[in-house]
Amino acid sequence: QVQLVESGGGLVQAGGSLRLACAASGSIFLRNMGWYRQFPGKERELVARFTVTGNTDYVDSVKGRFTISTDNSKNTVYLQMNSLNPEDTAVYFCNAAWGTFFPWGQGTQVTVSS
Protein backbone atom coordinates (compact mmCIF):
# COMPACT_ATOMS: atom_id res chain seq x y z
CA GLN A 1 0.00 0.00 0.00
CA VAL A 2 1.27 3.43 -0.88
CA GLN A 3 2.23 5.68 2.00
CA LEU A 4 2.76 9.42 1.66
CA VAL A 5 4.96 11.30 4.12
CA GLU A 6 4.98 15.09 3.98
CA SER A 7 7.75 17.18 5.51
CA GLY A 8 9.37 20.58 5.35
CA GLY A 9 6.77 22.71 7.05
CA GLY A 10 7.50 25.11 9.86
CA LEU A 11 7.23 28.66 11.09
CA VAL A 12 8.37 31.38 8.72
CA GLN A 13 7.99 35.13 8.56
CA ALA A 14 5.90 36.76 5.86
CA GLY A 15 7.90 37.02 2.66
CA GLY A 16 9.89 33.91 3.45
CA SER A 17 10.15 30.58 1.67
CA LEU A 18 9.73 26.91 2.43
CA ARG A 19 10.14 23.77 0.39
CA LEU A 20 7.78 20.95 1.20
CA ALA A 21 8.54 17.36 0.30
CA CYS A 22 6.22 14.40 -0.16
CA ALA A 23 8.00 11.06 -0.11
CA ALA A 24 6.02 8.16 -1.49
CA SER A 25 6.59 4.54 -0.67
CA GLY A 26 5.53 2.17 -3.38
CA SER A 27 5.17 2.70 -7.08
CA ILE A 28 3.19 5.76 -8.05
CA PHE A 29 3.10 8.07 -11.05
CA LEU A 30 4.50 11.26 -9.60
CA ARG A 31 3.05 13.39 -12.40
CA ASN A 32 -0.39 12.37 -11.18
CA MET A 33 0.20 14.09 -7.85
CA GLY A 34 -0.81 17.37 -6.37
CA TRP A 35 -0.48 19.43 -3.22
CA TYR A 36 -3.46 20.28 -1.07
CA ARG A 37 -3.89 22.48 1.97
CA GLN A 38 -6.43 22.58 4.72
CA PHE A 39 -7.35 25.62 6.77
CA PRO A 40 -8.83 25.08 10.25
CA GLY A 41 -12.43 24.03 9.98
CA LYS A 42 -12.30 23.89 6.19
CA GLU A 43 -12.04 21.13 3.62
CA ARG A 44 -8.82 20.45 1.80
CA GLU A 45 -8.23 22.45 -1.35
CA LEU A 46 -6.00 21.56 -4.25
CA VAL A 47 -3.36 24.26 -4.65
CA ALA A 48 -0.90 22.76 -7.15
CA ARG A 49 -0.90 19.83 -9.51
CA PHE A 50 0.41 18.41 -12.74
CA THR A 51 -2.05 18.38 -15.59
CA VAL A 52 -2.71 15.48 -17.93
CA THR A 53 -0.57 17.23 -20.54
CA GLY A 54 2.37 17.37 -18.14
CA ASN A 55 2.07 21.06 -17.39
CA THR A 56 1.43 22.52 -13.96
CA ASP A 57 -1.65 24.19 -12.60
CA TYR A 58 -2.12 26.35 -9.52
CA VAL A 59 -4.94 27.92 -7.61
CA ASP A 60 -5.01 31.66 -8.29
CA SER A 61 -3.92 32.61 -4.78
CA VAL A 62 -0.54 30.87 -5.18
CA LYS A 63 0.23 31.45 -8.85
CA GLY A 64 3.65 32.92 -9.35
CA ARG A 65 4.69 32.01 -5.80
CA PHE A 66 4.45 28.21 -5.56
CA THR A 67 6.10 25.63 -7.81
CA ILE A 68 5.44 21.90 -7.90
CA SER A 69 8.17 19.54 -9.04
CA THR A 70 9.28 15.95 -8.78
CA ASP A 71 12.42 13.91 -8.26
CA ASN A 72 11.84 10.45 -9.68
CA SER A 73 15.07 9.13 -8.20
CA LYS A 74 13.71 9.89 -4.74
CA ASN A 75 10.06 9.12 -5.52
CA THR A 76 9.30 12.56 -4.10
CA VAL A 77 7.09 15.49 -5.01
CA TYR A 78 8.09 18.98 -3.90
CA LEU A 79 6.30 22.26 -3.38
CA GLN A 80 8.52 25.31 -3.40
CA MET A 81 6.70 28.15 -1.69
CA ASN A 82 8.01 31.68 -2.00
CA SER A 83 6.71 35.06 -0.86
CA LEU A 84 4.67 33.40 1.82
CA ASN A 85 1.96 35.38 3.58
CA PRO A 86 -0.15 34.68 6.67
CA GLU A 87 -3.03 33.52 4.46
CA ASP A 88 -0.88 30.54 3.45
CA THR A 89 -0.97 29.21 7.01
CA ALA A 90 -2.45 25.73 6.79
CA VAL A 91 -1.65 22.03 6.92
CA TYR A 92 -0.29 20.88 3.58
CA PHE A 93 -0.83 17.41 2.12
CA CYS A 94 0.08 15.63 -1.07
CA ASN A 95 -2.09 13.11 -2.86
CA ALA A 96 -3.34 12.16 -6.29
CA ALA A 97 -4.60 15.14 -8.25
CA TRP A 98 -7.22 13.04 -10.03
CA GLY A 99 -8.55 9.53 -9.80
CA THR A 100 -8.49 7.57 -6.59
CA PHE A 101 -6.82 9.07 -3.54
CA PHE A 102 -4.07 7.25 -1.72
CA PRO A 103 -4.35 7.06 2.07
CA TRP A 104 -3.72 10.57 3.37
CA GLY A 105 -0.50 11.29 5.18
CA GLN A 106 -0.25 13.34 8.34
CA GLY A 107 0.46 16.53 6.44
CA THR A 108 2.95 19.21 7.36
CA GLN A 109 2.03 22.42 9.17
CA VAL A 110 3.02 25.71 7.59
CA THR A 111 2.67 28.80 9.76
CA VAL A 112 3.45 32.24 8.38
CA SER A 113 3.79 35.06 10.86
CA SER A 114 3.12 38.68 9.94
Side-chain angles (χ1 to χ4, degrees), residues 82-97:
N82 299 327
S83 302
L84 285 161
N85 59 63
E87 290 70 37
D88 295 316
T89 295
V91 181
Y92 286 73
F93 302 84
C94 65
N95 214 308

Side-chain angles (χ1 to χ4, degrees), residues 19-68:
R19 188 177 78 154
L20 307 184
C22 168
S25 66
S27 177
I28 66 171
F29 182 48
L30 295 180
R31 291 283 171 153
N32 188 39
M33 297 294 285
W35 280 95
Y36 299 76
R37 66 184 177 187
Q38 187 170 24
F39 301 113
K42 303 290 186 180
E43 294 188 357
R44 291 186 187 100
E45 65 168 2
L46 181 63
V47 297
R49 66 170 181 168
F50 294 100
T51 67
V52 293
T53 58
N55 294 318
T56 55
D57 189 31
Y58 303 91
V59 68
D60 285 347
S61 59
V62 309
K63 281 182 181 177
R65 301 189 298 122
F66 290 13
T67 304
I68 188 172

